[in-house]
Amino acid sequence: MDYKSMFSPKLIDLSVEASTENEAFEKVAEKLKNEGMVNAHYLDGIMKREAEFPTGLITQHINIALPHSDPEYVEQGFVYVCRLTHEVSCRQMGDSAEMRTKDLFFLGIKDGKNQVGLLQQFMNLFMDEGFVNQYVSIQDNEEMYELFMNHI
């Protein structure tokens, strides 16, 4: 699976204002719908799935979340890179413990069997201190796009 094709500079937003995880979901869902990447039920789908299967991940270098919905809400595969201006609470994958993050990666996966591979790629990237240091320093969508193109 070529994950590079799921990235686009227009699907990167490095200054999203949101005071809760759900508010971030609403804003991103709206953008994704406007871009034709998801259908009208995506927001409900992602909120339900996150409530049942939280996607927060604490790594050695940075806390991230990898929210995704079931494939029926996705029109076209994508990765939406979302950095919030402030940390929000979310829950950890596995044990549902409370955690905080401002870095969310919305994974729009059309074919469920590609999901594990993409999640694994993100986990590997964010365990790499060099990658994380570059990631946190980037403020520009094009630069962020290039970073992922060079590492995915």
Side-chain angles (χ1 to χ4, degrees):
M1 170 75 193
D2 175 26
Y3 298 117
K4 280 183 173 24
S5 63
M6 297 174 73
F7 287 84
S8 164
K10 69 182 180 189
L11 299 179
I12 296 174
D13 193 337
L14 303 178
S15 58
V16 176
E17 295 272 346
S19 50
T20 65
E21 186 183 41
N22 282 350
E23 189 182 348
F25 288 176
E26 288 164 15
K27 289 186 172 187
V28 171
E30 187 65 26
K31 286 188 176 180
L32 287 168
K33 205 170 68 181
N34 293 341
E35 291 288 345
M37 307 306 278
V38 299
N39 64 33
H41 304 289
Y42 173 77
L43 179 59
D44 288 340
I46 202 162
M47 286 186 168
K48 267 194 208 115
R49 187 169 171 99
E50 194 67 26
E52 284 178 50
F53 306 106
T55 61
L57 193 62
I58 294 177
T59 73
Q60 198 179 340
H61 312 293
I62 190 172
N63 293 355
I64 62 173
L66 301 163
H68 46 282
S69 72
D70 294 325
E72 70 256 30
Y73 307 118
V74 177
E75 298 298 326
Q76 199 180 325
F78 64 86
V79 173
Y80 192 102
V81 178
C82 172
R83 181 184 291 157
L84 304 177
T85 53
H86 307 293
E87 286 189 341
V88 296
S89 278
C90 67
R91 290 179 312 128
Q92 270 188 75
M93 213 180 272
D95 65 4
S96 296
E98 196 73 19
M99 60 172 273
R100 298 186 67 75
T101 187
K102 57 187 213 173
D103 296 283
L104 297 95
F105 302 90
F106 291 78
L107 311 180
I109 299 163
K110 283 285 300 164
D111 184 345
K113 68 177 185 286
N114 293 323
Q115 189 169 298
V116 173
L118 188 56
L119 286 170
Q120 195 61 56
Q121 291 255 328
F122 269 91
M123 289 176 187
N124 293 344
L125 284 177
F126 283 94
M127 286 193 267
D128 174 345
E129 189 175 7
F131 176 86
V132 172
N133 289 341
Q134 280 186 283
Y135 169 82
V136 296
S137 71
I138 292 176
Q139 302 298 322
D140 174 78
N141 291 10
E142 280 294 336
E143 267 183 71
M144 186 64 77
Y145 176 74
E146 288 304 320
L147 178 69
F148 280 100
M149 288 303 93
N150 293 334
H151 288 86
I152 275 277

